[in-house]
Each structure stands twice: as structure tokens, then as C-alpha cells.
Amino acid sequence: MPKILDRSLIGKAFEPFDVMVEAGRLRLFAKATGNDDPVFTDEAVAKSRGYRSIPAPPTYVFTLEMERADPFDYLDLLEIDPGTILHGEQSFDYHQTVCAGDVLTFENVIADIYDKKNGALQFLVLETKVTDSQGAAVAEMRRSIVVR
Amino acid sequence: MMTQNSSTSSDATGEILASLTKPPISRHTLALYCGASYDHNPMHVDLDFAREHGVDDVFAHGMLSMGYLGELLCRIAGPEDIRSFSVRFSAIVPVGAEITCTARHAGLVERQGETLTALDLLAVDADGATKLMGSALIAINGKNS
């Protein structure tokens, strides 16, 4: 039976942080995911298709969120072993296209903690708000993590 | 968050708009994705760590397969046309899995003054077993079509 997660942490907000969207890392992401559309690697192609620079693919904001110093700080806070977690659900709502050169601000909050099967499976829901350097909405993410 | 396709139907509902089969996921793929995604959870790359946690082998990041679905979406519309995208990870994707993604037309939805196309998304392995199920809302304006 896993440790009971501390529900008093529901609503806990983490310190906002900024991430610069880098063209080189976008290229590596395209390579790692085997996406051969040159719009995701070649700035000239991206500009010819009307983007200000290389655009980020749809799940990329999730990987930007992982770029901070300790992307698993919420696991430490809740005393969760990373070997016991599974990604249950993931959703994105988008308001703007992200491109190389952007500087984005990420704000995380523990949105929910609950259990099923009398505590045998626990669920942690994290929500992330992503804004641009002007404070305008870029995306919202919601991830549900299963703790076995 | 996501609202399911509630309103209207279309003659095209159920039609497969696009599909994509990716090469089998190798350990090399997982190492590349670990670095590229900044998801450094050892469960996906370190066999010793996996075994210490009672798992026989490493397994793929769920977000790698969601990335494949994202690539599929970008064959239908540009990143700027995607309004929402969500999945449920139904089963673990093991090393060697060959993932096929499909997007089916699921009707039209009015949201915030826009007419959006709802898509039902599926990622399955070579045996047809479901790995991810999801949905997306996109503003198709003829691009890439």
C-alpha cells in the first residue's frame, strides 16, 4: 500500500519560473520524436510558412515545464517515489503559437489529490498556466499522475 | 477544460482524416526522448532502476506517444490551429512497440465564436491494442490539406 498523499497540499502553488524557447532544443525534439517536417527544424521553412521562427509542436510546452531546476519537486513534496508513478491523463488548451525565441512563464498548482480502490491507487492532478512575456495566456496544461 | 463534441453532426463524422505509423520504439528512441523532453525519470531509460521498482523493463514515456499524436494533428492543421488536445494513457507502451495514430472526424463544435472540428484520436500498437485515447479541437482553414 503506498503512502497516503497529504491532501492539505491541494491548492499548493509553486514559484513561477521563466523558460526561453530554444531552436536547438526544438530540433532535438523533432529528431527524438522522428518528426521530419522541416517547419520544426528549419527557420527559413518556418518563416516561409508564416511563423516568426520555428514553431513548437503541440506537446512541447509540457517539455518546457520540465526544464526548471527540479521538475519533480512535487514528488519530493508529496514523498512520492518516481518509480511508482504513471502518467494517467494529459490535456492542453492553447491560446497562442509558441515559437523559438519566446520567453514563457510557467505557474504550477496542485489542483487535486484523490484515490480509487480504497487508496490502492492515488491520483495527483497538476495544473500549469503558461503566459507570455506580456502576461497574455499561451496555454493551460493539466496532468493526472497515478501513484501505484 | 476540454468539452466533448456536443453540438452538430457532419456527414464526415467517423471518417479517418489522417493516420501515421511510427517506427518501433527502441531504447535509443527513449534515450533521445529522455534528453530532448527533459523528462529524466529513470524509469524510461535505466533498466536497473526499473527492476528495483518491480518492473521487468523500461517503458516509453506516455508523452512520446502523445507527441506522435501531436505530429499527426500537425499533418491536419498547423500548431496555431489546435485549440485543445487531450489524452488518456490506457496502457504502458513497451520497448519495441510500433505505434499507429489515427484521427477521426467527430463533428463540428462552436466555441468562442469559432467553428471547430472535433477529432477522436487513437494510438494503438501493431496488435491493435489501445495505448492512448484522446480528442482534439482544431480550426481547419484548408492548410496542409
Side-chain angles (χ1 to χ4, degrees), chain B residues 36-113:
Chain B
S37 70
Y38 273 60
D39 185 343
H40 299 166
N41 184 342
M43 189 56 102
H44 302 298
V45 285
D46 185 339
L47 183 57
D48 301 332
F49 181 90
R51 287 181 174 159
E52 282 163 17
H53 286 82
V55 182
D56 290 339
D57 200 353
V58 298
F59 55 89
H61 307 74
M63 290 306 290
L64 174 61
S65 295
M66 191 174 188
Y68 294 162
L69 283 169
E71 180 183 349
L72 179 72
L73 287 180
C74 290
R75 293 187 177 200
I76 302 169
E80 70 281 10
D81 300 318
I82 302 169
R83 297 291 177 270
S84 65
F85 177 22
S86 63
V87 302
R88 174 186 296 258
F89 301 98
S90 311
I92 280 175
V93 175
V95 173
E98 184 184 88
I99 297 296
T100 295
C101 301
T102 54
R104 285 180 187 273
H105 197 299
L108 300 175
V109 180
E110 291 294 327
R111 205 178 76 166
Q112 293 168 355

